[in-house]
Structure formats: C-alpha cells, structure tokens
Amino acid sequence: MGLGSQASSVSVSRATKWLGFVTAVWVQSISGNNYTFSNYSDALKTLMNLTQLQLNNLSVAKDIGKAFGLLAGLASDRLPTWVILLIGSLEGLIGYGTQWLVVSQKIKPLSYWQMCIFLCMGGNSSTWMNTAILVTCIRNFRKNRGPVAGILKGYVGLSTAIFTVLCSALFNDDPARFLLMLSVAPLAVCVTAMIFLREIPPSDSAAEDQEESSYFWLFNGVALVVALYLLSYHFIPNPTRLFSRIFASALLVLLASPLAIPAYSLVSGWLLDRIRVGSGSDLESRAAEPLLKPEIAEAAVEPATAAEKRSPVIGEEHTIKEALQCLDFWIMFVSFLCGVGTGLAVMNNMGQIGLALGYADVSMFVSLTSIWGFFGRIISGMVSEYFIRRAATPRPLWNAASQILMAVGYVLMAIAMPGSLYIGSIVVGICYGIRLAITVPTASELFGLKYYGLIYNILILNLPLGSFLFSGLLAGILYDLEATPMAGGGNTCVGAHCYRLVFVVMAFACIVGFGLDILLSIRTRNLYNKIQASKRSKKSAVLQ
C-alpha cells in the first residue's frame, strides 16, 4: 500500500472512531430508561391497585434485570458490538412494549409476577447497551478513560430528562405514550450505532492523545449546552403545543450537533497525513503506548517469568477470579453499594416522596435528579482526570466526597424543610452521577481492560442489590408502616414522617461508604503516582 493510500486509511479510521463515539453518545442518551420508573409508577399503582411495598418490589424487579448484565459482560469478549446492541434493543422493545400495552389498556392487566418479568427485561436491556458502549469506547480511547466515562455516563444521566421533556412537550405527560417512546426509541438509535461503532486501535502517539483531549472538551461543551437547554424547559410557564414541538425539535438538533467533530477529524486528519506523506514521515513507525510506560512500570512489575508465579498487583490485568480475590475490589463494591443503592431508592420512590410532601407533579424532581446527575458525571470525569495529571489524586477520593455530600442531602430531606426536596433532588443527582462516572474508569485502572466487560457488570450488581435493600425493603416496609389503607386495595401516606426514617438510615449508609472510599484512596495512591508519571512523560514528548 502506498503512503497516500495509507494516509487516507488512517484519516478514515480516526473519523470512524469519532463517529462511533457520537453514536455511542446517542445510545447513552436513551439507555437511562431504567431511571424513568417514577414517570409512570403511579399509573401502574392505580391500575393494579398496589401497595407501596408491591410497587417498590416492581421497581426492584426492574433493577434485578441489571443482575443479568453478567451475560452481557461475558458476551462482550465473544460477540461483536453490533450483536450486543441488537440484543439489548430488542429486549427493551419487548419489556417496555408490554408495559405500554398494559398502561394504555390495550390488553388486560397482567398478573403481578408477569409484570415483574417484563420490568426485569426492560431493566436488563440497558445493561447490554451500556456494556457494548463502555467496553468499546474505553478500549478505543484508553488514554482518556475519565473523560470517556464522564461523557457517556453523563448522557445516561441526561436520558431521563430527555425522555421526560419529550414526553411533556409532545405527549402532555401521558404515561402510556411515554412507555411507547421508551420501547421504540432505543431500537432506532441502536440500529444506527450498529453501523458505525466498533473497536478501533487506540491512539498511537502522544500528539493524538492531546488531540483526543481537545475533542473531549468539545463534547463536554455540547453536553453542557444540552443540559442547560433541558433545564430551561421547566422555567417556561404553560408552554403552547407549538412551542413544545419547536423546543423538542431543537433538542434533537443539539443531540445531532456532535457530528461536526468526526467531520472535522476526517478533513483535518486527511490534510495532516498528506503533509506527513509529503515530508516522508513513516506512518507505520509509531508504536502503541501502554497506560504505564515500561520504564515507569518496571520498578513495580517483575519479569514475565516471575509474574506467572504470583498474583497480579493493582494496575495489572486481572482475571475475574483474581479480581474477586482482591480486597480492593470488595472495598469498591461495598462503597459503590452505599452510593448507588441509596440513590436508586430515591429515584424509584420520587413519585411517592413528592406526593407525600404535597407535590402533585413530580416530573420537575425527576428532571432535576437527572440533569444534576449529568453535571455530576461529566464534571467528575474531566476533573478527576485533570487532578490525576496535576497531583496524582486517586479517583476514589472523589467518590468519598460524593458520599459525604449525599449524606447531607438525605439529612435535609429527612428534616423536610420548605424546598428541601428541590435541594435533595439536586444533591442526590450530583452524587449519584459522580459515583457512576468515577467507578467506571477506576475499575479499568485497578483491574485492567482484558476482562473489563464482566468486571463492570459484577460491580453493576449493586444496582439490583441496592434497589432491593434500600428501595424494596427499607423504603417499602417503612412507608407501609406509616401509610393508611385505601378501599379496594393500595395505600397512601401524606406528610414528612412517611420517609423520614428511610432518609436517616440511608445517610448512615453513605457515611460507611465514605470511610471505605477513603481507605481505597490510600491503598491505590502508589498506582496513581505511576499513572501521573506516565501521563507527564507523554506530555513532555509532545512539547519536545
């Protein structure tokens, strides 16, 4: 192959990688459907005459679907990305499509256990989509794991607000049409991603690493504009149908705007490669660099023959068995449970929390949690990466900060002062977002990328486990103890006392998580010193 053809091939490969990342962003924008339960939970409760405990157990069934994400993790090392996306989108079509048929009363209400199965399918569908996206993108951009995780998880956080605003703008908050959108939209978006998203060799030079970082700042900028745009909808008093449709159309244009980045990458990369060809540069002479440079890792890693006789240390590739035998994995696992488990309990019960405190419409709080969760995810991804380069700050330290802030949010909601639900929704959203965005790259840095798909899904087991413990048991049982039975079945509770003890217990759980994150930060300090040294040496190579 001639140098001209090689230059063209490299340019197309780079542009394809960025185009795949844009479609990954779109998939993440619709894969947070698992967090939208509060938008239609009251319709299910009324239609099926459920108690709060029964309704919470439905939400647990939804989250238990994530436990089967282990299948997606196993498949991620054996099946191409497009197959994993197809499985997830079809499962979501069936799971949410059946719920739509029930809520729209096109079929008679199914039995309780049957509804549990279809909610479980809907919850599991997102694990296939998330696994395909995260594994592929972190492998494609392994030198910028923090920004990748922050952006992708940020759009997952925005997806609830995207769905909520579109439903409010187009369907007047009709829960049946909302469920129809949840079932059809992911399939359409995933089909697009199947075409462009695939594993492509990561950047092979320090200059490309720097270019990637600049592009990620552009993605962050677009994401911030989308978040602020979504937030503005709630400050528009009584929008007309025409205005709502224009607003929704502009939102879709904003979501499509990142396409400019792969287009620019294609043109600029082609021009740059032509210049290199003209100057006689050898495009094949660049070698891929590991996360830790050999001269830096050398002091910590023994020769290969000796490594075969010992367990890997933190920062090296771990098998699943080796990761599960590592104390650091379980410290991360339990601290993750304290953060995401309590956060899920709030999200799953937001409808009833709002009604208990006297709010007839809880869509504002659902959107606040979603949008501020986005800010937590996207900012923590970039900030944690910056402080690794600047001061070798361990990523788990940011999780510790989020845990203590989340505990404060729960205390505020337990006190139930005027406006505390607004503040609590924002705080819980931010901290829940930080936990997800920080834990994703942390797991890859501590245990490697070879089996990352499965390791990630083992950590995600915390979602169904946390939902069962904090939402199904804690919130469901304590609510029913305070609630008044209603004629014909079901119950209701009004007042600050309904969830006060729930918030106190969850605040204590967050304090436990804070302690565990501090411990993990101390234990991984040396690893992040090595990562910082590696990043600094690459930056020096660019400046020379």
Side-chain angles (χ1 to χ4, degrees), residues 154-194:
Y155 274 98
V156 173
L158 278 184
S159 64
T160 303
I162 291 171
F163 278 129
T164 301
V165 167
L166 288 178
C167 181
S168 179
L170 302 179
F171 309 132
N172 198 27
D173 292 320
D174 181 354
R177 292 185 178 183
F178 183 79
L179 281 165
L180 179 61
M181 183 168 57
L182 291 184
S183 62
V184 175
L187 177 62
V189 175
C190 283
V191 168
T192 303
M194 289 176 209

Side-chain angles (χ1 to χ4, degrees), residues 8 18 45 74 86 125 138 166 193 205 303 338 349 432 472 492 494:
S8 177
W18 286 110
K45 184 177 183 180
L74 289 169
L86 180 62
S125 66
I138 284 185
L166 288 178
S205 72
C338 294
N349 289 272
Y432 185 87
T492 187
V494 177

